Amino acid sequence: MQQYLPVRSGKVREIYDVGDNLVIVATDRISCFDVILDNEITNKGKVLTQMSRFWFDFTRDIVPNHMISTDTKDMPEFFRNDRFEGRSMLVRKLEMLPVECIVRGYITGSAWKEYVQSGTVCKTRVPAGLVESQKFPEAIFTPSTKAELGDHDENVSYDECVSCLEAKFPGKGAEYASAIRDYSLAIYNKCADYASERGIIIADTKFEFGLDPDGAVTLADEVLTPDSSRFWPSDGYEPGRGQESFDKQYARDWLTSHKDHSWKLPDDVTAVTIDKYLQGYKMLTGSDLQQI
């Protein structure tokens, strides 16, 4: 049996090169504020993979994506065991675009902090008089540059996004920036409407795109997971304050309120975190993780 080693290790995912394709494995690691914590959240990687699979299928009518299969039977024999089961995705190789596509439907987190200070959100002027967690009149696209492991992503304006893409793809910067903006907003709006019907507000999220061998813009990485998004329960939503959530915000909040944390969560916080992941997963997909 051929052995494989990761060709890249991110904050959460391990990427394996299997010839014409890649296998992306979501671990149970958790990162907050761009730091990998000294904890694992049991089954977190399975939630990320299976939720991404759900959304990749749901958004195929908007944009093609890189997913081929989440069944390890479709992968090399090396991946057909409990270590990889449920958390692995076979995907097409893409040339990744060097920006992250953040869509914000509500003002929260770092966007709220910037707004209080300057009246802008990621260098974009937004209406005056907003309160924390308020819904924007329309979802906004706020791209950022991709940081190396351990560094922080940097918010950029739309014009800076065009320039970043132009630097890598001469003559294509404006075209690619327009495409990823429009795809990101279309995906967010469709999925936010769907989630709203199931009792969840998608406050904001992050997408990544690449180019297939024919140069077509293609959705990649993860989609609308608790790691890349803020999910709020609709029944507890109230503008003017922070919100309860079905994502890793609970872990972020604990770290913020415990300055001596040394980047380690107590067991009770990790237990609550995975419970929130699983609850959000069931509400959005209509099934328990174990039934997949």
Side-chain angles (χ1 to χ4, degrees):
M1 177 177 66
Q2 182 174 350
Q3 302 293 306
Y4 292 90
L5 293 174
V7 295
R8 183 176 183 275
S9 293
K11 298 184 185 79
V12 173
R13 287 169 175 75
E14 309 283 359
I15 300 177
Y16 295 80
D17 190 323
V18 294
D20 292 337
N21 302 306
L22 301 172
V23 172
I24 300 178
V25 180
T27 71
D28 289 338
R29 295 193 296 265
I30 183 171
S31 74
C32 294
F33 309 112
D34 291 324
V35 175
I36 301 171
L37 305 189
D38 292 334
N39 295 88
E40 288 197 342
I41 309 294
T42 302
N43 288 327
K44 173 177 171 287
K46 293 182 179 181
V47 174
L48 301 184
T49 296
Q50 301 304 333
M51 188 169 284
S52 284
R53 182 186 72 169
F54 174 83
W55 292 120
F56 277 134
D57 285 336
F58 187 72
T59 58
R60 284 186 186 277
D61 62 325
I62 297 174
V63 59
N65 62 67
H66 71 165
M67 183 179 69
I68 298 172
S69 176
T70 56
D71 189 340
T72 56
K73 294 185 180 64
D74 297 326
M75 304 174 198
E77 184 181 354
F78 174 79
F79 299 95
R80 300 173 200 165
N81 57 67
D82 290 343
R83 176 186 171 193
F84 298 103
E85 195 66 46
R87 63 177 71 246
S88 304
M89 182 178 291
L90 182 69
V91 304
R92 292 182 292 152
K93 289 181 177 179
L94 304 175
E95 182 174 10
M96 298 302 294
L97 301 181
V99 294
E100 293 190 338
C101 301
I102 301 167
V103 179
R104 303 177 189 274
Y106 296 72
I107 187 165
T108 186
S110 62
W112 170 246
K113 292 178 182 177
E114 178 188 333
Y115 179 76
V116 170
Q117 293 176 346
S118 64
T120 61
V121 170
C122 304
K123 304 182 181 181
T124 300
R125 182 64 58 178
V126 296
L130 298 177
V131 299
E132 184 177 6
S133 304
Q134 185 171 342
K135 185 177 183 179
F136 290 115
E138 293 182 349
I140 60 174
F141 175 72
T142 60
S144 71
T145 58
K146 292 182 182 179
E148 295 299 322
L149 188 63
D151 294 331
H152 294 282
D153 298 338
E154 180 183 352
N155 295 324
V156 295
S157 68
Y158 181 75
D159 288 343
E160 289 171 327
C161 173
V162 173
S163 297
C164 179
L165 292 168
E166 182 68 23
K168 185 169 183 180
F169 305 99
K172 290 287 190 176
E175 175 186 339
Y176 289 156
S178 175
I180 61 178
R181 177 196 60 198
D182 294 348
Y183 282 143
S184 295
L185 290 169
I187 295 167
Y188 173 83
N189 288 327
K190 177 179 181 178
C191 296
D193 288 346
Y194 168 90
S196 177
E197 295 172 356
R198 286 150 183 83
I200 288 182
I201 292 170
I202 302 176
D204 54 32
T205 194
K206 171 186 72 68
F207 303 115
E208 294 196 36
F209 295 87
L211 305 176
D212 74 5
D214 295 324
V217 175
T218 302
L219 183 62
D221 195 52
E222 62 182 320
V223 181
L224 290 160
T225 72
D227 270 17
S228 66
S229 317
R230 285 186 174 90
F231 297 139
W232 297 339
S234 300
D235 59 5
Y237 172 66
E238 182 182 355
R241 59 170 176 80
Q243 309 296 311
E244 296 295 321
S245 64
F246 294 122
D247 51 58
K248 65 179 179 180
Q249 190 60 44
Y250 183 83
R252 289 194 194 100
D253 290 344
W254 188 90
L255 292 169
T256 300
S257 62
H258 294 76
K259 301 300 184 184
D260 59 345
H261 53 69
S262 299
W263 300 109
K264 184 175 178 63
L265 302 172
D267 291 344
D268 62 323
V269 175
T270 62
V272 171
T273 299
I274 191 58
D275 284 346
K276 288 180 175 291
Y277 275 51
L278 291 170
Q279 186 179 358
Y281 177 87
K282 184 172 183 178
M283 290 177 68
L284 288 169
T285 67
S287 65
D288 292 317
L289 189 69
Q290 295 88 336
Q291 296 175 347
I292 295 174

